[in-house]
Amino acid sequence: MNVSYRWLKEYTPVDAADKVVAHELNMTGTEIKGFRRMDEGISNVVVGKILSIEQHPNADKLVVCMVDVGQSEPTQIVTGAKNMKEGDLVPVALHKSTLPGGVKIERGKLRGVVSNGMFCGVEELGLTVNDYPDAISDGLLILKEGVVGRDIREQLGIDDTVFEADIMTNRPDCLSMIGVAREAAGTFRLPLTVNKPVVKGEGESAEKYLKVTIKDKDLCPRYSARIVTDVTIAPSPMWMVERLRACGIRSINNIVDITNYVMMEYGQPMHAFDYACLDGGHITVRRANDGEIMKTLDDQDRALDGEMLVIADDKKPVAVAGVMGGANSEITDETKTVVFESANFFGASIRHTAKKLGMRTEASAHFEKNIDPQMTLEALDRACQLVEELGAGKVSPDVIDEDYSDKTKRTIPLSADWIRHYINVSISDEEMKALLERVGFEVDLTDGTVTVPSFRSDVENKYDLSEEVARFYGYDNIPSFSFSADVKSGGLTEEQIFERDLRIGLRAVGFSEIETYSFVSPKGFDKILLPEDSAKRNCLKIKNPLGEDTSVMRTTSLPSMLEVLASNYNNRIPSAHLYEVATVYIKDEDETKLPAEPKVVTIGAYGDGIDFYDLKGRIEEMLAALNVANISVRPCKTNPSYHPGRTAELSVDGRVIGVFGQLHPMTVKNFELAGEVYAAELSLADLFAVSGNTKGYAPLPKFPAVTRDLALVCDEAVLSGDIEAKIRTLAGDVLEDVRAFDVYRSAALGEGKKSIAYALTLRDAEKTLQDSDIDPVISAILTGLEADGITLRK
């Protein structure tokens, strides 16, 4: 919001430098992002009166003017302008003057004739024709009135500072000149003067012209209106134009300008309807009908729906409530009777309507912050007072006020001692009372209560009151003090340490970390070939998504990883080996509860010689670094995203912790990848659960190891990992290692048979093993395996 310093001073006598005002308001909670002088760069420019105009002796397009600039003698100005005449008042930039943009004006000669400066148009003064409707862009600014010799900055009302205030959402009362002036009065401990509007009301009764019905009181708790007859549409006076210009609003005409002026002064948006355009003399505040079409003031047809609130007559909507009026009731030069509307609307409804229609306006920006419904009547009276002062029409003596708002004022106990202790200040009850009353609170020291004004909906309890006292007492006046507490030094939990080590381990085996968004597209489920009945499709939907690509919370991180791989592939990156510790979101059966948010270690890779066994080896190396032992790998043919013959399930002590392998060719194609692409999905929680304790030191063995090879015959369906696990169980503690080193198939073995050769490493920590020690172990292994149909190859 733009705040005019000159206008501000009408309510409270602040007399401080611009920089000081900005700083002090910032210190008390009204954020001033910056300020600027409206007359920046202008100096030694005055009002001049043209006394005579003569043709230049040496130039057909130039004239020589004698101008009264308030000095002892007239000054001579040579100009090429054509839109002036003798007796006109014009801005004159004198010798050694400056204009916006660093332009310097000095005495000089034009075709041999001395010119002691130059005349100025709106552009030379940094203004626009919108500020002065009668001005032209390529000619002089002809002033309607002025004092000869007066500084042009004062004459045009641009000797002002405009502060840019960033108003917080919970302070709609500050979206007004009076609201900011109230803050300034509290900041500088000055009185605030706001005169109550007085309306003579010499027109006809409003009830004779208009009836108001509020159908949807939940969206419109109050609607106030007044009738103005015998309207005269004319330009606004310069003082109003200047103030609107300072606030960044263009002048239109006196009636429209009054509504904008009151909005900036009181923070209450208003609207003026041409009464002749209202069918039936009846205004109804209602929800729009689905598909109802209305042309707004910006000449756009708007399609409305049942969630939007409209102001309607007996036949049609005439305004989108709180957003913009309709073109069908616009004020024109022929308007003779006007309905002034001052209403209050439910903020969330206005915000949703403005967003749906794509037309956020100054009015909607006010209403969406839930402004005070008790302000409608005073703002309406102020508008009608201005109508009478400007001679713009006759105001009805009565007001139509449909009021269903809650008028109960909030009362808070004044815990003065608690406040003093809480903010650590020495302040008397009387001073505390003065600070609060200066910004609108009513304080009763006898009863020990504070009555909160209706415009301060943000103040609810003693903590809010203490903030009011602290900010106007002055944060910089509150003494600082040290405090002691039994605070333990921070650190990482065991889970956090494990996750950190996991990331280190993944980088150590050649994977690079990525981080993707949790918001994804539901199309990703189709791309990874998830069945329609998959539980992973039951995801959380975003109520207000930026688009379909970010409309749900992911239940699997595989599509996100593949999108990144595809991006690298399509940018001609020959290989990519990536990982992400990604959070997924699993809905609770009870939808009132928050979802579970487990983390999944996701790996993705293509190119550079990557294959199933390379991926398996890297994962095993990473798990070994995390002290995860007893790993087993089994084929997995049920995961639809992966290749059915090149995918494995990873488990530890029977606990499944994830899956890895080559992706299904259709999955690869869906992401516009090519060739073999590999991935893995491992549960971080399960990995942590099966990880071992910190590694300890083990001395080098004192006694040598003994190796034995066993070539075993088994059915094709038997898994090598199951045989290894069986050997470890049967061999006991003397078995140090077992690994498969050969697979053999032959017709001699029999149909459906295969031979797997294993190398066994045996060692005893207390002695050197002899054949007499080893043979019983080998015998036990063979006997146990034979029970499962696995025999020694002959």
Side-chain angles (χ1 to χ4, degrees), residues 765-781:
E766 303 297 330
K767 64 180 180 179
T768 299
L769 292 174
Q770 305 295 327
D771 287 344
S772 58
D773 301 313
I774 297 171
D775 290 344
V777 174
I778 299 298
S779 177
I781 291 173

Side-chain angles (χ1 to χ4, degrees), residues 18 68 105 141-142 299 439 477 497 659 677 684 747 761 764 772:
D18 301 343
D68 182 1
I105 305 298
L141 172 59
I142 307 299
D299 207 33
V439 289
N477 294 325
I497 293 172
V659 65
V677 181
L684 181 64
T761 302
D764 192 314
S772 58

Side-chain angles (χ1 to χ4, degrees), residues 210-240:
L210 188 67
K211 179 182 178 182
V212 173
T213 302
I214 302 177
K215 282 191 175 180
D216 294 291
K217 301 177 181 62
D218 56 328
L219 301 184
C220 177
R222 191 169 190 178
Y223 192 99
S224 306
R226 219 160 182 169
I227 298 293
V228 178
T229 57
D230 300 325
V231 171
T232 301
I233 304 297
S236 297
M238 282 310 303
W239 62 266
M240 182 175 285

Side-chain angles (χ1 to χ4, degrees), residues 710 723-725 727-728 735-740 758-761:
L710 296 177
I723 297 176
E724 284 189 18
I727 292 174
R728 290 182 187 278
L735 181 65
E736 187 175 84
D737 187 33
V738 57
R739 61 182 180 84
Y758 295 90
L760 281 64
T761 302

Side-chain angles (χ1 to χ4, degrees), residues 662-706:
Q662 183 180 337
L663 288 171
H664 195 288
M666 285 301 299
T667 301
V668 174
K669 181 180 179 181
N670 289 340
F671 284 90
E672 298 183 0
L673 288 159
E676 295 182 358
V677 181
Y678 293 85
E681 298 170 83
L682 311 175
S683 167
L684 181 64
D686 289 333
L687 281 173
F688 175 71
V690 300
S691 62
N693 297 323
T694 304
K695 288 183 177 180
Y697 169 76
L700 293 173
K702 296 179 180 180
F703 300 97
V706 177

Side-chain angles (χ1 to χ4, degrees), residues 411-416 429 442-451 465:
T411 301
I412 302 173
L414 178 61
S415 306
D429 291 1
E442 298 174 17
V443 182
D444 189 332
L445 293 179
T446 303
D447 293 342
T449 59
V450 175
T451 302
L465 279 182

Side-chain angles (χ1 to χ4, degrees), residues 1-5 7 36 38 160-163 176-177 240-250 260-261 263-265 362:
M1 173 181 169
N2 290 339
V3 178
S4 164
Y5 192 11
W7 195 356
R36 62 179 177 84
M38 293 180 66
D160 193 8
T161 298
V162 175
F163 297 100
S176 66
M177 289 300 305
M240 182 175 285
V241 174
E242 291 163 3
R243 290 186 176 182
L244 291 175
R245 181 176 67 235
C247 294
I249 298 176
R250 179 173 63 89
N260 287 330
Y261 185 90
M263 178 175 66
M264 299 312 300
E265 185 176 29
E362 192 74 42

Side-chain angles (χ1 to χ4, degrees), residues 271 273-274 277 294-302 316-320 324-332:
H271 189 66
F273 298 101
D274 187 335
C277 299
M294 173 188 164
K295 186 185 291 292
T296 48
L297 285 172
D298 58 359
D299 207 33
Q300 297 291 319
D301 287 328
R302 308 287 181 177
K316 62 187 181 300
V318 293
V320 180
M324 186 178 287
N328 54 18
S329 59
E330 181 180 7
I331 300 299
T332 66

